[in-house]
Amino acid sequence: MDDFSAHRRLLLETVTALRTDGLLSGTGGNVSLKIPGHDWMLITPSGREFADLGPEDICLTDFNRQPVLDNGLQPSIETGLHAAVYQRRPEVNAVIHTHQTYASVFALLNRPIPALFDEVVLNIGPEIAVVPYGFSGSRQLADNLAARLNNACFCYILQNHGAVSLGTDLGEARRNAGLLEKCARIYYYALSTGLDITTLPQSSLDLLAELRRERQKTD
């Protein structure tokens, strides 16, 4: 059986880039890549420092967290969360779960991020919704995220936990995670002024929705 070495290296490169971006640290978070044509994914292992990972440490598992190739490591406890995305969003091939700082601020505030910038609406969606709290690694958390996935957005805030960013590939998922953090940081500073926050007008939202639909047709 193919050990998907190139895919493992790509996932590890993404982990390294996310660490450089300040979006992953220690053991907090997880990254996965769906294997085309299978209900399988490559995903970071549970409880291992990202800085110490090698390609051989990346787990190949099915959507039920059962190993396809056993490397002696347990896949992330959030494998069910990733599987929930892949099973409901066929256009998604990569999932990044982080405890990134500014998105986590809104996880504690239990406050969604509205339509603030063209690039965010175009790439992520008109609102970054909050997924209700579920204990880490639980079926409840996966089910709570699954209930939000029909909004077709590419980022979500997990209440009292962190964030999830999706992509058609690992590069897009990483870019969306960074765009989420940038938007959350600016929104946080804007709210701290106590002044009114302006959101995009409906005419712009309609135009951006059409641009998103056109983009999806060509992907």
Side-chain angles (χ1 to χ4, degrees):
M1 180 188 292
D2 188 346
D3 67 357
F4 302 102
S5 296
H7 293 80
R8 292 174 188 269
R9 289 194 296 270
L10 180 60
L11 193 151
L12 190 59
E13 289 169 4
T14 302
V15 167
T16 300
L18 289 164
R19 290 179 60 235
T20 300
D21 296 341
L23 301 179
L24 283 180
S25 62
T27 63
N30 25 81
V31 180
S32 74
L33 175 65
K34 185 179 183 295
I35 300 299
H38 299 279
D39 288 341
W40 301 346
M41 72 180 89
L42 288 166
I43 191 165
T44 48
S46 178
R48 294 290 299 271
E49 290 274 348
F50 293 120
D52 298 334
L53 292 179
E56 69 282 358
D57 297 318
I58 304 303
C59 299
L60 180 61
T61 179
D62 66 18
F63 289 171
N64 294 313
R65 207 167 177 258
Q66 297 302 307
V68 176
L69 289 176
D70 192 351
N71 64 354
L73 299 176
Q74 289 295 314
S76 169
I77 64 168
E78 299 295 3
T79 298
L81 187 80
H82 294 245
V85 176
Y86 295 133
Q87 290 170 317
R88 290 162 178 81
R89 295 281 295 274
E91 79 280 19
V92 172
N93 296 299
V95 177
I96 295 171
H97 165 47
T98 64
H99 302 161
Q100 58 195 75
T101 301
Y102 284 93
S104 296
V105 169
F106 291 94
L108 297 186
L109 293 173
N110 193 24
R111 180 168 183 157
I113 299 176
L116 302 174
F117 300 106
D118 292 354
E119 63 172 339
V120 177
V121 175
L122 182 61
N123 290 285
I124 294 176
E127 180 186 77
I128 302 168
V130 177
V131 174
Y133 175 77
F135 195 76
S136 298
S138 68
R139 176 65 181 269
Q140 179 187 13
L141 179 58
D143 288 346
N144 289 348
L145 175 60
R148 291 285 193 273
L149 289 170
N150 63 359
N151 68 2
C153 290
F154 278 77
C155 287
Y156 301 86
I157 295 166
L158 305 179
Q159 184 182 358
N160 290 88
H161 192 153
V164 174
S165 298
L166 319 179
T168 56
D169 56 33
L170 282 166
E172 183 178 61
R174 177 197 167 195
R175 290 190 296 274
N176 285 339
L179 187 56
L180 167 61
E181 189 70 350
K182 173 187 172 183
C183 182
R185 183 174 69 249
I186 294 170
Y187 189 38
Y188 167 79
Y189 285 127
L191 287 171
S192 71
T193 68
L195 301 176
D196 291 339
I197 305 295
T198 60
T199 57
L200 295 178
Q202 188 60 49
S203 58
S204 292
L205 294 179
D206 293 342
L207 174 60
L208 290 163
E210 180 60 31
L211 291 173
R212 289 189 78 204
R213 285 191 291 271
E214 291 300 317
R215 175 188 287 184
Q216 290 164 0
K217 289 178 185 178
T218 60
D219 287 344

